[in-house]
Amino acid sequence: MNRLHPLSAVSMALQRGVTGFSMPFFVVMILSSFVDAVDIGWVFWLAPVGLVVGIAYGVAYYYRFTYHATSSTFDVTSGVLSRRSREIPYRRIQNVDVSQNLFQRILGLAVVSIETAGGGQTEATLNYVSEDEADRLRSEIRRLTAKTDAGIDRDEPTATAATDATDDTGESTQRERPRAERGPVLLFDLEVRELVIYALTSFRWGAAVFPIMLLFFLQGADSGSGPVPEFLLLAAEPFGGPEAVDSAAVGQLLVLSAVTVIQWTAATYVASAIYTVANYYGFQLGRTGDDFVYERGLVQRYSGSIPAEKVQSVTITENPLQRLVGYAGLWVETAGYGPDSGGGNQSAVPLAGADRVYRFAENLTGVETPGFRSPPGLARRRYLGRYSIVAAVIVAVAFGLAQVSTFDRWYLSPVVFVAVPPAAHLKYVNLGYFVGEDHLVIRRGFWKRRTTVVPYYRIQTVSTRRSIFQRRLGLASLVVDTASSRTFSWGTPTIYDVDLETARELQGTGRERLQSALRERARRDDLGLSVDFT
């Protein structure tokens, strides 16, 4: 059995000690407000007791936490008051990630996270081990996972590569070195220019939390400005905003809100660019044996492995700015763990030339160059009606505001109908699907266009979905589900608004080719099993 790094005991003791020290303050203060028997003075003796108990718990947790890599499972035992033992089969392991923040890198520590197929949550986390131990664990788990997937007995020799060596007589001879011990073959290296373009053409709404935190900070620093910081009022004043919120009219408040939203969006864009640079600085993707390995990050350093056998699908992403400059990104998805789940570490190519990315996707999956089929013209008519309803709602809202405020130019709002035809057209032309011999390729989306390549043998279910409006037009959508967690954050790959008969044909074709692909894989792997796919 192995233990964590000794500094883990120090870290856990400090964390638990601070928690134990601070909890009495909150508990006693709350209880003293409702229960007369509780004296606020209890804090002065409960807090030191909590500190000691917390430190003792952190040290005990360190000594009670052990891990061990066996021939078939990775075992983790933890818990102080209640013991928890986990045996993680290697066949279930999807990813082994190693992360280091700046402080951990200075101390030579790392956090190892083991992800499994089961919803994207971390199955086991080792806080902390040395850098050498993290590399050893990642290599060992990767080797044992590959052997388990290949059905190789532990005592059998691993795949090797010939290297030159000298024997005792000085003569050159050949010796075998395990393939897992060789360095990874570099597949992709994110250049500085590509990183800058990626930062400038990406927008992450999650970065909005940073300007919000800054807003609260500025508001606290300038408490005399009232509920709204002074700089927001000054920015909105030239456009008809109020000098003060208390005496502002409804129209002035609307101007203030609009200017604030614009400022917040701009600040979010800047924060998103900074986050992208810090997160993907030094990104490299390589291959070791049957695994993809990656490394990235400026302050927080991430590295890990993605077993090629576990890849469920491959998705190419492009937003309008990236398409304008001819760039795209590529993401891979594994069962229960996707690029936008917990760690978000599944980018194969964050950004590169679109032609280069498409070639990489074809080489990675073996898919033939797709010739996309578009939905029928009725789909464009449906989108025209959908966006017309949205435009009508905007006009109605503008008219309503005119009735309760000084906003008297609501009659300009119908100009939004001008955007309806191009919006419907762009929605339509960015949809498409391709039914290949071994893969199904689905393209959808304008603001974030995604082209997903799904091998037939990775498909879990194929189902037809129809809304009320689709039934009126004789249309249907085909939902293709895999075991990937990407479906939780991006939506399940779907072929939208095809004819009902076409959807049924595609569903039948997908089912037949899924069965054929499974039979072929069973024969190729020589499993010795008799399987009836009916």
Side-chain angles (χ1 to χ4, degrees), residues 501-512:
E501 291 302 320
T502 302
R504 289 172 176 170
E505 291 176 4
L506 289 173
Q507 187 173 6
T509 301
R511 182 169 57 249
E512 292 172 1

Side-chain angles (χ1 to χ4, degrees), residues 4 175 189 195 219 222 229 356 374 394 403 408 431 441 472 490 497:
L4 301 175
R175 66 178 177 87
D189 186 8
L195 177 61
Q219 185 177 4
D222 189 12
R356 181 183 174 191
S374 299
I394 293 175
Q403 307 306 309
D408 58 355
L431 293 177
V441 186
R472 289 178 61 89
W490 273 13
D497 297 317

Side-chain angles (χ1 to χ4, degrees), residues 365-406:
T365 62
V367 66
E368 57 268 43
T369 302
F372 289 103
R373 295 174 58 184
S374 299
L378 281 175
R380 196 200 310 260
R381 174 180 155 190
R382 183 187 177 213
Y383 305 142
L384 192 65
R386 176 191 298 177
Y387 295 133
S388 296
I389 294 174
V390 173
V393 170
I394 293 175
V395 174
V397 170
F399 178 77
L401 289 175
Q403 307 306 309
V404 299
S405 68
T406 57

Side-chain angles (χ1 to χ4, degrees), residues 147 150-157:
K147 291 175 66 175
I152 301 175
D153 187 79
R154 181 175 175 83
D155 295 331
E156 293 180 2

Side-chain angles (χ1 to χ4, degrees), residues 106-126:
I106 293 174
L107 296 178
L109 301 177
V111 178
V112 178
S113 301
I114 299 175
E115 314 289 344
T116 62
Q121 296 183 352
T122 301
E123 183 69 22
T125 302
L126 308 183

Side-chain angles (χ1 to χ4, degrees), residues 298-309:
L298 181 60
V299 179
Q300 183 86 6
R301 196 69 181 168
Y302 296 96
S303 61
S305 60
I306 309 169
E309 181 63 24

